[in-house]
Structure formats: C-alpha cells, structure tokens
Amino acid sequence: MEIDAPVVADGPELYRITCDSGVLDVNSSYAYLLWCRDFAQTSAVARIDGAVVGFVTGYIRPDAPDTLVVWQIAVDASQRGGGVASRLLGHLVDRVQPRGIRYLETTITPDNAASIKLFTALARTRSAELRRSELFTADLFPDAHLGEDLYRIGPFAAAPAVAAATDR
C-alpha cells in the first residue's frame, strides 16, 4: 500500500468511498474535487496497485494554525479491518507535524464506535492527551443528524525531523 497526497483525479473515488460507507455525510462530488485540489497538503489517500482504497481529508484551522482538523476518513469496503485508516491517520500526522501542527481535532457522533476507537488509539500511540467535549448538539442540525462531539488530541511530541534537526 502507498499513501500520499490526493490529486484532483482522486475526487470521484473519495466521493464513491464516502457514498459506499453508508455512515459518512456525503458531500457533493464537486466538493471532493475541490478538496483534492485545495487541501491536498492536509489530506491523504491510500492506494493499492494505483487504486484509491481509503482517504483522510483535513485542513488547518484558520484561527488555530497549530491544529489539524480531520474532516472525513474512510476506507473502501474491500480493505476495512486491515489497519488502513490507522495508517492513513498516522501518515497525515507525520506529514503535517513539521508545519507546526501540535493538535488534531475531529468530530464524531456518539454512535460511531469505529471512529472513537481509531482516534483513541491515535492518542494512545502518540502518548497525547485526548479531550472529548460536546460541540454541535443534535438540535443545531436541520435534519435528523446526531450531535457531534469534539475530540481534541495533543499536544504531539516534536516531529522526528524537527527533533533530529534540533539535536545537531
């Protein structure tokens, strides 16, 4: 498996994987094209034999430039349960840390046990604190959407490249 930044041509596959997930909020296909263009440096795709089998999309919070917000993470049904999501998340954190990212934020509905487990494991493996708080209550959504809890992980230890440069 190879993990790298997405390119615009990956947008349709991100859209397909999101639709097929059955649990993620599906954005317009246009949004995934824009995401792959405008947020490629804070997102990642996993490929097997050139085919996209998973992705994580994120952005740096404009009012908190040390914080990466993970918007969506999804894995193709054929690859679920194989650690793809964990590898994508780890890769993305490693890639953005040299840019001064010390925290990761994401929102998760209380019924999404898989995402809760994924982000809890990230905090544990990175020896980082995880704080959960209510962010968006269900009554804020104009549809039948559950509330979204904020998961904030960090601070992360210094990125390996930064630590090595400091040791010289």
Side-chain angles (χ1 to χ4, degrees):
M1 179 178 353
E2 295 177 6
I3 299 176
D4 56 15
V7 296
V8 171
D10 294 329
E13 285 302 293
L14 274 62
Y15 178 76
R16 178 193 61 78
I17 292 169
T18 303
C19 290
D20 291 351
S21 77
V23 296
L24 289 175
D25 292 335
V26 179
N27 299 292
S28 71
S29 58
Y30 178 65
Y32 291 97
L33 294 172
L34 284 174
W35 204 280
C36 289
R37 184 192 76 164
D38 295 343
F39 299 103
Q41 295 309 307
T42 52
S43 300
V45 293
R47 301 176 199 280
I48 294 179
D49 297 327
V52 176
V53 297
F55 72 89
V56 56
T57 54
Y59 62 91
I60 296 172
R61 273 188 58 193
D63 61 340
D66 66 346
T67 302
L68 171 73
V69 176
V70 169
W71 179 263
Q72 288 186 315
I73 185 163
V75 176
D76 185 82
S78 68
Q79 301 298 316
R80 288 189 196 134
V84 175
S86 179
R87 289 179 62 189
L88 275 163
L89 207 48
H91 169 91
L92 184 57
V93 170
D94 288 344
R95 204 172 79 213
V96 299
Q97 267 192 283
R99 296 176 63 179
I101 298 300
R102 299 184 63 230
Y103 297 91
L104 179 147
E105 291 182 348
T106 195
T107 63
I108 306 173
T109 56
D111 66 339
N112 190 337
S115 286
I116 293 168
K117 181 179 175 183
L118 174 67
F119 286 94
T120 300
L122 174 71
R124 185 178 54 252
T125 59
R126 299 287 174 138
S127 300
E129 182 179 0
L130 184 150
R131 291 186 180 192
R132 184 189 62 78
S133 60
E134 186 176 68
L135 183 62
F136 301 123
T137 57
D139 62 308
L140 291 172
F141 293 94
D143 54 11
H145 198 290
L146 293 175
E148 293 272 352
D149 292 332
L150 175 67
Y151 284 72
R152 182 169 169 85
I153 301 170
F156 295 117
V162 173
T166 307
D167 291 340
R168 289 187 183 136

